[in-house]
Amino acid sequence: MELYKDQHMEIISRDNKVFVKKHQEHYTMKDFETLLKEFPRIKLTNFMELKNLFNQQNGDFVEIGVLLPEMDIQISKDAMTANILFYEDPKKISNSEDELNLKIKEIAASIGIEYGLKRILWEELEKKKHVIAEGKEPEDGVDAKITYFQNPTRRPKIGLDGRADFSDMNFIFEIEKDAWLGEKIPASEGIPGMNVLGKEIPAKAGKDLILKYNPESVYESEENGKIIIRSKTAGVLDDSNGLISILQHLEIKTDIGVETGNIVFNGSIAIKGTVLPGYSVKATGDISIEAKEGVSGADSIESTGGDIYIRGGVFGHSKTVIRAGGSVFLKHANEATIYAENEICIEMYAIGSNLSGRIVRLDGVNGKIIGGVTEATSYIHTAIAGNQHERRTELIIYTIDQKEKMGEVRYKAGKIKEIEQEMGVLESRVIQLQPLTKQMNAQQLEVFEDTKYKYELKKSVVIQLNYEIQTILKQLSEIEKECVEVTKIAFEGTIIKIGKRSSMLKTRTNGVFKMENGELNV
């Protein structure tokens, strides 16, 4: 194909290769460069051959480069965009906008572009490069959202004078049968995208979340596109181990004594009276003792998985033992032994008592710890420690064994992995059988429901283990933050011990006592 010819020079194209032949001996390289500007489609690739052509006599055709197409479409690596580059003036290629876009459409189709083709406007042709196709990015799904019923906060009210008031804590909140306990808005799948080649791009599904409940006392159902959990029976809401459960609730309107005998109950107990000397109460859930005079000389009060509230405090007479899987709240403690997995909160004083919890907290204005041994793994707080008679009062922070606790975390994580594998088998069975439930006989339906129940129970175990792991990690996060805080006076004779370091106070002081640079700052 002849591209150009005059008395000086001839330019032709064969198989998209460009050849030139010089006719005029005195035609220079500079003259040719000026001419070449009229041919934007010619791309020089053999510059040395061209240079030699102008350094010798007239001769044969010489290959100097390639002939670029009128227009070229390039697809990005991710195939999400395609650009067109014009090597020739578009208005020389076509006589109208419609004709130009028809040519572009044909070229795009020839290289596989199927989606997102744009129209090139006639008035925008001064630009050499245009985006002529754009894919659609996928829209990721929305994460699941979970909302739970919130029990009233179990915290004493703080008055204007800074004192804690334990008289009204709304300790036990009763739940009716079928009451709403929580809901999950399921994660959405997202909307797939499309690249310019017509290939679907999958969307990332939203993150799913697990409703944490005990299937023995809580059930779930689908309502208006949400998963709702409700109570199977009336009772008391319990979430102490990270699982929503409904515990049975026993209300005793008298004292625990001769008429009732010792009480052992699977659930929570509200006692309107007191626990008489020599008697005991044990429950899996919360225990509330409402008598204003408190407890005197009781044998034991134990909640294996909940909190204990004693409105009037306890006179232990060196024999009462109180033990809670959660926290203990009381007005005062006199010659009693109290254990709590979480926190011990005392409004007024602890005299001659042995206290042990993660946190032991007395009122910061008038709270007193006098005598006895107070132990915690994280924090001890009181206004006054000891007394002016220098009664021996021990405030001890036991630091945890980090290596041992990390071993527990690894063990529990391994158990979770084992159970999740078992859950995978059960879940696949449920998914496989779900569409066939309407065709099942009674026996088959019972097997199906039993499989679902086993799956839910294993899920509960995983949730419990995860809760225990998070509890340990929380303990580990408190390492090196352990302290004893005495806001007003720590009297002489008070012993402060953190880890392996201890000191008996020789003078009255106050403040925050902790480890600094390996030493106790007393």
Side-chain angles (χ1 to χ4, degrees):
M1 180 177 67
E2 184 177 272
L3 300 177
Y4 179 81
K5 184 177 181 181
D6 65 7
Q7 69 272 24
H8 306 295
M9 179 70 64
E10 186 175 351
I11 306 174
I12 63 172
S13 171
R14 295 177 190 158
D15 299 325
N16 291 329
K17 295 177 181 179
V18 177
F19 301 86
V20 297
K21 182 177 180 181
K22 188 175 70 170
H23 295 306
Q24 180 63 253
E25 183 178 346
H26 300 293
Y27 193 73
T28 66
M29 183 77 164
K30 188 173 182 180
D31 295 328
F32 181 73
E33 289 174 352
T34 302
L35 175 64
L36 202 60
K37 291 178 181 178
E38 299 179 19
F39 297 91
R41 292 176 60 195
I42 296 176
K43 180 180 179 181
L44 295 177
T45 57
N46 296 327
F47 187 76
M48 291 304 297
E49 290 291 339
L50 180 63
K51 186 177 180 183
N52 291 335
L53 176 67
F54 289 98
N55 290 334
Q56 62 187 18
Q57 298 293 326
N58 301 340
D60 293 331
F61 280 100
V62 174
E63 182 182 342
I64 63 164
V66 295
L67 184 66
L68 298 172
E70 293 175 328
M71 60 185 101
D72 183 37
I73 296 177
Q74 299 171 340
I75 300 172
S76 63
K77 287 183 179 180
D78 61 2
M80 291 303 291
T81 59
N83 294 296
I84 188 167
L85 184 63
F86 290 105
Y87 294 109
E88 186 62 85
D89 183 348
K91 293 185 178 180
K92 292 181 179 179
I93 299 171
S94 304
N95 295 320
S96 69
E97 183 179 303
D98 288 340
E99 183 183 347
L100 176 65
N101 279 281
L102 182 60
K103 288 185 177 182
I104 292 172
K105 186 176 180 181
E106 291 172 353
I107 296 171
S110 70
I111 60 173
I113 293 177
E114 298 181 3
Y115 180 85
L117 195 65
K118 296 175 177 287
R119 184 175 180 85
I120 300 296
L121 301 177
W122 202 248
E123 58 268 22
E124 293 181 353
L125 291 177
E126 67 276 2
K127 295 189 293 184
K128 273 193 166 185
K129 191 174 182 180
H130 299 260
V131 176
I132 53 98
E134 278 188 304
K136 178 188 175 186
E137 294 286 349
E139 295 180 26
D140 290 343
V142 178
D143 293 346
K145 183 180 179 182
I146 287 180
T147 306
Y148 291 112
F149 175 86
Q150 295 296 315
N151 250 338
T153 303
R154 291 177 177 175
R155 281 287 172 194
K157 295 177 182 178
I158 306 299
L160 295 176
D161 59 357
R163 295 190 61 181
D165 179 9
F166 283 63
S167 61
D168 184 11
M169 288 182 58
N170 294 319
F171 195 75
I172 293 179
F173 188 85
E174 295 189 51
I175 298 292
E176 296 180 353
K177 182 178 182 295
D178 297 318
W180 180 94
L181 301 177
E183 65 183 36
K184 177 172 81 169
I185 300 174
S188 63
E189 292 297 321
I191 302 172
M194 185 79 70
N195 67 23
V196 297
L197 299 176
K199 182 179 179 182
E200 185 175 278
I201 304 170
K204 183 179 178 182
K207 182 181 178 182
D208 193 22
L209 298 173
I210 297 174
L211 277 164
K212 300 176 181 179
Y213 65 90
N214 187 334
E216 293 183 348
S217 59
V218 178
Y219 69 94
E220 70 173 47
S221 60
E222 186 174 344
E223 301 176 25
N224 299 320
K226 297 179 181 180
I227 306 299
I228 308 293
I229 56 172
R230 298 183 181 276
S231 58
K232 287 185 177 179
T233 61
V236 175
L237 181 69
D238 176 64
D239 59 358
S240 58
N241 62 351
L243 286 177
I244 298 293
S245 300
I246 299 298
L247 301 180
Q248 297 181 67
H249 178 56
L250 174 64
E251 185 176 30
I252 299 174
K253 296 183 179 181
T254 61
D255 297 332
I256 302 299
V258 176
E259 293 183 4
T260 63
N262 296 327
I263 298 293
V264 178
F265 186 68
N266 182 18
S268 65
I269 302 176
I271 302 167
K272 297 302 180 182
T274 186
V275 180
L276 294 175
Y279 287 89
S280 64
V281 177
K282 185 175 182 179
T284 56
D286 300 325
I287 299 174
S288 172
I289 301 172
E290 300 288 342
K292 290 183 180 180
E293 65 271 21
V295 173
S296 180
D299 183 21
S300 66
I301 300 168
E302 181 178 0
S303 168
T304 56
D307 298 338
I308 295 173
Y309 170 53
I310 303 174
R311 182 188 296 270
V314 58
F315 293 94
H317 304 296
S318 300
K319 61 182 180 180
T320 301
V321 177
I322 298 170
R323 190 184 302 270
S327 297
V328 175
F329 304 89
L330 67 165
K331 190 165 189 171
H332 61 76
N334 199 315
E335 295 184 328
T337 299
I338 303 174
Y339 301 97
E341 287 293 325
N342 188 30
E343 189 171 349
I344 298 174
C345 290
I346 300 175
E347 179 182 351
M348 296 174 62
Y349 62 82
I351 297 177
S353 296
N354 295 323
L355 314 175
S356 179
R358 185 178 69 85
I359 293 172
V360 178
R361 190 191 308 272
L362 279 83
D363 182 73
V365 178
N366 294 303
K368 301 174 183 178
I369 300 177
I370 302 173
V373 178
T374 299
E375 303 172 347
T377 57
S378 176
Y379 182 51
I380 297 172
H381 177 274
T382 184
I384 297 169
N387 63 12
Q388 59 186 353
H389 302 297
E390 300 185 20
R391 182 171 179 177
R392 184 185 177 95
T393 302
E394 298 183 50
L395 307 179
I396 302 171
I397 299 288
Y398 282 112
T399 55
I400 63 175
D401 187 323
Q402 189 172 4
K403 185 176 180 181
E404 180 183 329
K405 290 295 181 180
M406 282 307 300
E408 286 186 43
V409 169
R410 285 191 290 270
Y411 172 77
K412 292 177 187 295
K415 291 297 293 182
I416 288 174
K417 190 173 182 180
E418 288 178 18
I419 297 170
E420 284 180 338
Q421 288 176 345
E422 296 170 2
M423 286 173 64
V425 175
L426 292 171
E427 186 178 25
S428 64
R429 287 180 192 167
V430 171
I431 292 171
Q432 186 178 7
L433 295 173
Q434 185 78 53
L436 307 174
T437 52
K438 292 183 180 179
Q439 305 166 26
M440 292 180 182
N441 58 35
Q443 185 177 0
Q444 291 170 331
L445 197 58
E446 184 179 348
V447 171
F448 172 72
E449 292 297 334
D450 184 60
T451 304
K452 281 176 63 179
Y453 182 71
K454 287 178 180 177
Y455 173 81
E456 293 297 334
L457 280 181
K458 289 186 181 296
K459 184 172 75 173
S460 298
V461 173
V462 168
I463 292 170
Q464 172 67 26
L465 288 170
N466 270 316
Y467 174 78
E468 292 171 5
I469 287 173
Q470 293 306 314
T471 301
I472 294 172
L473 293 177
K474 183 178 181 181
Q475 292 176 343
L476 292 172
S477 72
E478 293 171 348
I479 290 177
E480 298 181 358
K481 297 178 183 177
E482 306 97 333
C483 67
V484 173
E485 183 173 7
V486 181
T487 59
K488 285 188 174 181
I489 305 172
F491 285 94
E492 303 92 328
T494 298
I495 295 172
I496 295 175
K497 181 178 179 181
I498 298 180
K500 296 180 179 180
R501 298 285 189 268
S502 66
S503 177
M504 177 181 284
L505 299 182
K506 304 299 182 184
T507 59
R508 297 180 185 184
T509 185
N510 62 16
V512 178
F513 307 106
K514 58 184 177 180
M515 297 297 293
E516 291 181 345
N517 301 317
E519 297 296 330
L520 187 56
N521 68 340
V522 176

